[in-house]
């Protein structure tokens, strides 16, 4: 297809987009750094500054289910085109980008610098040969999967214990088949991942098939005795037996203290990633959930709309995510009392969890007091969009 470096009047005035649609209906139109409806994809070009450096999706601002690309150079330095040099290729950075993109349902557009004879410089050829063998061995954890922790379900990705970091994927064909991609290993031999309500039944090293010891309690799966850490991506396959202790959305109603037109609180219960609650640039703002009868409560799982970067890239590109919050409960929806939970959520992508001390009530209210975007970012300042909120009445049963 065509990768277009920002929309331009010449293409519009001469009907070139429509001509491509007519002459090449199977080709994609991809716009670089802009989201224009006529394009099939949004391509985010060579973002840097993330920690860890490979976690490119931290710099992406296009919410799912919009088809989204991450565009980056294969050579770690140098030009986007062949400049006569055999530039270095960072294997860890590039493989990390490919896998973290896949774990966020973001497509990778990896630019290679071909020479005039059609061959690639030797360092790029060497990487391509290595990557084919490397990715073939773990393709079952990447192909036919979606990013975990977003609108497709799955375990929580991101920062884990003891310095570990990575992504998760979930099979499109089997929602109980999960994969944990450990791109930065923890300092020890144990990994702890938030279970997102799934009951784990077994864990194996995906490459070797070796069974691994695990225990599950308090909303977390702890996998121990891992010794065969891969230098780039240790893949753990996790089998589950569905979600437990999550209230069906059909048994809850939601209302908000304020909502923008067309974006009511009910949108956080409809499991549709294209609908969301909008706080109409008002803070504090709250969403109240009526469980219709008294229920036990343990946590809220919150998916915020992925429409901004998750870190402060510049004065005008900030994170529109929950910062300071509090949770209150009530028996009658009138008398609330002191918060049962409060704190600061980190500015991170994917599902966020707010744990609640065990209690039994009919009403739950989440109040957002502040968000991460600074006043210099007029697009995101005081703006909050929530895609989905799930209410956990219990953690999945303890097991090992």
């Amino acid at each position: 297809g065509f990768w277009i470096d920002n929309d331009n009047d010449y293409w519009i005035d001469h009907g070139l987009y429509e001509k491509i649609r007519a002459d090449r209906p199977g080709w994609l139109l991809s716009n670089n750094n802009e989201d224009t409806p006529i394009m099939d994809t949004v391509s985010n070009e060579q973002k840097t500054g993330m920690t860890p450096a490979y976690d490119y999706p931290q710099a992406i601002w296009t919410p799912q289910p919009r088809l989204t690309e991450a565009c980056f150079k294969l050579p770690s330095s140098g030009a986007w085109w062949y400049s006569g040099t055999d530039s270095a290729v960072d294997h860890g950075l590039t493989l990390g980008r490919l896998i973290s993109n896949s774990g966020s349902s973001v497509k990778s557009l990896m630019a290679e610098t071909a020479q005039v004879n059609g061959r690639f410089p030797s360092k790029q050829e060497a990487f391509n040969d290595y990557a084919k063998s490397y990715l073939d061995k773990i393709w079952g954890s990447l192909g036919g999967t979606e990013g975990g922790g977003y609108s497709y379900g799955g375990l929580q990705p991101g920062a884990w214990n003891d310095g570990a970091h990575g992504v998760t994927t979930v099979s499109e064909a089997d929602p109980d088949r999960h994969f944990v991609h450990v791109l930065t290993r923890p300092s020890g031999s144990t990994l702890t991942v938030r279970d997102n309500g799934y009951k784990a039944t077994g864990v194996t090293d995906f490459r070797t098939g070796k069974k691994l010891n695990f225990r599950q309690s308090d909303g977390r799966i702890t996998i121990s005795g891992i010794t065969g850490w891969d230098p780039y991506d240790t893949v753990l396959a996790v089998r589950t037996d569905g979600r437990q202790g999550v209230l069906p959305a059909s048994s809850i109603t939601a209302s908000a203290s304020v909502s923008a037109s067309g974006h009511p609180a009910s949108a956080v219960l409809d499991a549709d990633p294209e609908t969301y609650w909008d706080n109409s640039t008002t803070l504090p703002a709250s969403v109240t959930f009526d469980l219709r009868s008294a229920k036990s409560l343990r946590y809220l799982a919150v998916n915020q709309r992925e429409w901004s970067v998750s870190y402060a890239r510049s004065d005008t590109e900030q994170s529109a995510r929950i910062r300071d919050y509090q949770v209150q409960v009530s028996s009658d929806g009138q008398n609330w009392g002191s918060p049962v939970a409060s704190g600061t959520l980190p500015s991170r992508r994917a599902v966020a969890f707010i744990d609640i001390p065990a209690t039994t009530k009919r009403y739950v209210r989440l109040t957002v007091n502040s968000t991460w975007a600074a006043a210099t970012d007029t697009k995101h300042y005081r703006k909050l969009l929530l895609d989905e909120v799930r209410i956990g009445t219990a953690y999945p049963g303890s097991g090992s």
Side-chain angles (χ1 to χ4, degrees):
F2 282 89
W3 188 83
I4 297 158
D5 200 356
N6 298 317
D7 205 1
N8 64 81
D9 291 338
Y10 185 90
W11 281 66
I12 295 170
D13 294 344
H14 290 76
L16 297 185
Y17 297 128
E18 291 78 8
K19 183 171 176 56
I20 292 171
R21 296 287 190 214
D23 292 350
R24 297 290 188 273
W27 286 22
L28 290 179
L29 290 174
S30 180
N31 197 357
N32 180 31
N33 295 327
E34 292 181 344
D35 188 357
T36 44
I38 199 170
M39 305 295 183
D40 298 297
T41 71
V42 182
S43 189
N44 296 262
E45 180 186 347
Q46 192 74 20
K47 309 300 186 190
T48 59
M50 294 74 67
T51 302
Y54 56 73
D55 193 8
Y56 196 127
Q58 291 185 47
I60 287 178
W61 41 262
T62 312
Q64 301 291 325
R66 182 72 158 116
L67 187 60
T68 306
E69 295 173 335
C71 174
F72 56 90
K73 297 182 296 184
L74 175 56
S76 308
S77 60
W80 284 84
W81 52 87
Y82 183 62
S83 61
T85 60
D86 189 10
S87 298
V89 174
D90 186 324
H91 282 46
L93 175 64
T94 307
L95 289 169
R97 282 174 166 171
L98 291 167
I99 292 162
S100 60
N101 291 343
S102 182
S104 305
S105 296
V106 170
K107 312 307 177 187
S108 289
L109 194 164
M110 187 175 72
E112 302 208 33
T113 60
Q115 301 174 92
V116 292
N117 61 5
R119 295 291 300 272
F120 293 113
S122 61
K123 291 175 183 176
Q124 292 179 53
E125 281 195 340
F127 174 82
N128 291 337
D129 292 339
Y130 178 83
K132 182 184 188 308
S133 173
Y134 185 87
L135 293 173
D136 279 351
K137 294 172 184 174
I138 59 171
W139 194 249
S141 67
L142 297 170
T145 67
E146 293 287 357
Y150 298 93
S151 57
Y152 303 99
L155 308 177
Q156 186 186 32
W160 296 316
N161 62 296
D162 300 326
H165 196 279
V167 295
T168 70
T169 52
V170 58
S171 168
E172 293 176 328
D174 182 357
D176 282 318
R177 183 168 170 80
H178 304 261
F179 303 94
V180 179
H181 295 263
V182 187
L183 299 169
T184 299
R185 58 161 293 184
S187 56
S189 60
T190 298
L191 182 75
T192 299
V193 178
R194 190 76 192 224
D195 60 33
N196 204 6
Y198 292 92
K199 172 63 176 175
T201 60
V203 180
T204 58
D205 183 306
F206 185 63
R207 282 188 174 85
T208 66
K210 177 185 176 182
K211 292 183 178 180
L212 297 171
N213 294 324
F214 77 95
R215 66 181 185 275
Q216 183 173 15
S217 63
D218 298 327
R220 293 164 175 81
I221 303 169
T222 298
I223 305 162
S224 59
I226 306 171
T227 56
W229 296 102
D230 184 83
Y232 304 125
D233 180 23
T234 302
V235 186
L236 309 176
V238 180
R239 290 296 310 181
T240 62
D241 187 18
R243 275 177 163 154
Q244 297 183 0
V246 178
L247 278 179
S250 59
S251 69
I252 310 169
T253 56
S255 59
S257 60
V258 61
S259 299
S261 177
H263 299 285
S266 59
V268 304
L269 299 174
D270 65 7
D272 183 349
E274 293 192 272
T275 63
Y276 52 90
W277 171 63
D278 184 327
N279 76 328
S280 194
T281 324
T282 302
L283 292 173
S286 62
V287 179
T288 299
F289 300 94
D290 181 356
L291 314 185
R292 301 182 187 171
S293 64
K295 301 286 196 311
S296 62
L297 298 167
R298 291 313 309 266
Y299 66 89
L300 302 181
V302 182
N303 278 96
Q304 303 176 71
R305 192 155 180 79
E306 304 288 349
W307 70 297
S308 68
V309 299
S310 63
Y311 71 106
R313 294 195 74 240
S314 69
D315 287 344
T316 58
E317 200 171 3
Q318 305 267 319
S319 171
R321 288 172 174 80
I322 298 171
R323 184 168 179 169
D324 297 316
Y325 69 88
Q326 64 182 40
V327 176
Q328 295 166 285
V329 296
S330 172
S331 296
D332 58 10
Q334 301 296 322
N335 300 292
W336 292 94
S338 301
V340 295
S342 61
T344 300
L345 285 181
S347 178
R348 293 176 184 161
R349 302 181 79 242
V351 60
F353 295 93
I354 300 172
D355 292 298
I356 302 170
T359 188
T360 301
K361 298 291 181 183
R362 174 173 171 170
Y363 296 90
V364 187
R365 184 165 68 190
L366 169 64
T367 299
V368 178
N369 295 312
S370 63
T371 55
W372 283 97
T376 51
D377 185 347
T378 56
K379 178 179 180 179
H380 299 111
Y381 182 56
R382 299 173 64 86
K383 189 84 167 176
L384 179 64
L385 310 179
L386 297 188
D387 270 330
E388 180 184 32
V389 178
R390 284 175 287 103
I391 297 178
T393 61
Y395 299 119
S398 298
S400 62

